[in-house]
Amino acid sequence: MRETVISELDLALVNALQLRPRAAWAELATALGVTASTLARRWDRLSDEGLAWVSATPGREFSRTRCSAFVLVRCRPGTRRRLAERLCSFEEAATIELTAPGSADLLLDVLAPDLPALGRFLTEDLEPLPDLVSVDCLFATSLYVEGSRWRLRSLDPAQLTALGAGGPGGPEAVPTTGLDAVDRALLDALVRDGRLGLAALAARADSSPATVRRRLRRLTDSGVLTFRCDLADPLAGRPVPVSLLGRAPARDTAAVHRTLAALPECRLVAAVTGAANIFTTLWVHDLGDIQRRETALCARLPSLTVTDRIVGLRTVKRMGHLLAEDGRRTGVRPIRPW
């Protein structure tokens, strides 16, 4: 593995881009106390080395109108890596994680335009694969928190104020019409590089920069897409991902969601179908932290029962981006839920 040298400025830059993924370097320079050219050089290095990347992902509207599921896959011993590599080619498999032996060998985050499309992926693409033993599907009935809202927390209060960074929320989604060829060309380009400028995007969409600006504003305001800055494990402090399945009375689920979402280590919270009705993913410091976090959670939420704990060993694909052993991005297999 390559040696990774990470500075405080690198961490601050990534945190700033988590908050404002497409901000111009000049807009970020004052808050971070350096020049715009310095930030551009730093970002080029981080991006070229696969340590951080900005991309377009499905926005708020997707969670309301599309289908997503968390799929637990069991496979024959010794076949997990081969199966994971094969699954990377499927557009619907947005995230693929190799997990510690237990209730699953692989954990998939699956996205599809609608329920029939998700069903076809499960029955026609996934189940016939060789080496697969069993599939357990948890349909997401609502998504309370997703990965784009997770923060590195390396900026100080003054820097956050200078960036105008309030809470993670945004304007309410407004209706939008169907996507046309220009929209889809923009989405395809931005999934690969979310910081492409207007001129580059216009060339790829065979349009004008002014049109691209208007289209991007419409797509983001409508909640069709959002932008996120992701990072490799060395930048994130090499966290241990753990997904908890839990059960709580329906009357308490909103309170459980709010409590989980407020945790700094929370990456995702969803309501799901099945024996467990709550699914959450946390990035914790070490294995011992799993028990400590669970104990603290159950003390605060006495009606919550944790029914399973799925520890991630390696993420091979995250929202369409292929990752190496050390978490660096090595390529893109775009998801197409739109």
Side-chain angles (χ1 to χ4, degrees):
M1 291 185 184
R2 290 172 287 178
E3 182 180 356
T4 302
V5 179
I6 301 168
S7 70
E8 291 299 320
L9 179 56
D10 292 331
L11 297 175
L13 172 56
V14 171
N15 196 172
L17 289 173
Q18 287 179 322
L19 298 167
R20 299 183 61 188
R22 283 185 56 82
W25 299 129
E27 296 178 52
L28 303 180
T30 301
L32 299 185
V34 296
T35 65
S37 60
T38 296
L39 292 182
R41 287 196 303 271
R42 292 277 182 161
W43 178 250
D44 285 343
R45 182 184 72 84
L46 292 172
S47 180
D48 290 346
E49 293 185 10
L51 287 167
W53 57 96
V54 171
S55 63
T57 60
R60 301 179 304 278
E61 183 66 11
F62 176 87
S63 64
R64 284 196 285 264
T65 62
R66 306 299 196 267
C67 285
S68 61
F70 306 100
V71 179
L72 284 65
V73 174
R74 296 294 302 272
C75 55
R76 292 194 301 108
T79 64
R80 285 196 306 165
R81 288 181 180 271
R82 182 169 65 236
L83 182 58
E85 290 173 0
R86 185 163 184 177
L87 286 169
C88 282
S89 64
F90 290 101
E91 298 173 350
E92 295 86 353
T95 297
I96 303 171
E97 192 168 65
L98 275 67
T99 64
S103 55
D105 296 310
L106 298 173
L107 175 60
L108 314 182
D109 186 351
V110 176
L111 306 178
D114 51 38
L115 186 57
L118 197 152
R120 286 193 297 273
F121 168 74
L122 294 173
T123 59
E124 299 176 14
D125 296 326
L126 181 59
E127 290 181 355
L129 291 177
D131 303 323
L132 189 144
V133 173
S134 67
V135 175
D136 188 11
C137 183
L138 309 174
F139 291 98
T141 56
S142 67
L143 191 62
Y144 196 78
V145 169
E146 46 80 31
S148 68
R149 294 177 55 159
W150 184 85
R151 301 291 182 250
L152 193 56
R153 297 175 185 263
S154 57
L155 297 172
D156 61 38
Q159 291 172 317
L160 290 171
T161 300
L163 288 170
E172 286 298 313
V174 295
T176 185
T177 56
L179 304 178
D180 62 16
V182 172
D183 294 326
R184 294 190 181 280
L186 292 176
L187 291 170
D188 184 69
L190 290 167
V191 163
R192 301 170 188 276
D193 183 355
R195 286 193 57 82
L196 280 175
L198 295 179
L201 288 170
R204 299 193 184 199
D206 193 21
S207 186
S208 69
T211 297
V212 168
R213 186 191 302 274
R214 289 194 301 272
R215 294 296 183 101
L216 285 182
R217 180 64 181 269
R218 179 174 63 84
L219 291 170
T220 53
D221 285 354
S222 65
V224 169
L225 70 81
T226 189
F227 292 95
R228 62 190 272 174
C229 180
D230 267 310
L231 60 161
D233 289 351
L235 275 175
R238 301 189 184 278
V240 176
V242 57
S243 294
L244 303 179
L245 283 168
R247 185 170 57 245
R251 65 177 182 276
D252 295 338
T253 54
V256 172
H257 289 165
R258 287 193 300 269
T259 300
L260 290 168
L263 297 175
E265 61 270 25
C266 180
R267 289 279 298 182
L268 181 146
V269 179
V272 295
T273 61
N277 59 357
I278 292 171
F279 183 96
T280 186
T281 298
L282 310 177
W283 277 8
V284 299
H285 296 298
D286 52 48
L287 289 174
D289 210 18
I290 298 173
Q291 184 64 51
R292 291 189 291 270
R293 295 298 182 188
E294 182 180 333
T295 300
L297 273 175
C298 292
R300 294 177 61 184
L301 301 164
S303 64
L304 172 65
T305 300
V306 175
T307 59
D308 202 358
R309 306 143 193 88
I310 303 171
V311 178
L313 298 179
R314 181 196 163 194
T315 303
V316 298
K317 185 180 183 184
R318 182 185 300 148
M319 292 305 290
H321 300 269
L322 305 179
L323 307 183
E325 291 274 359
D326 62 356
R328 295 172 188 257
R329 183 174 73 159
T330 60
V332 184
R333 293 282 177 83
I335 59 174
R336 304 186 192 279
W338 295 286

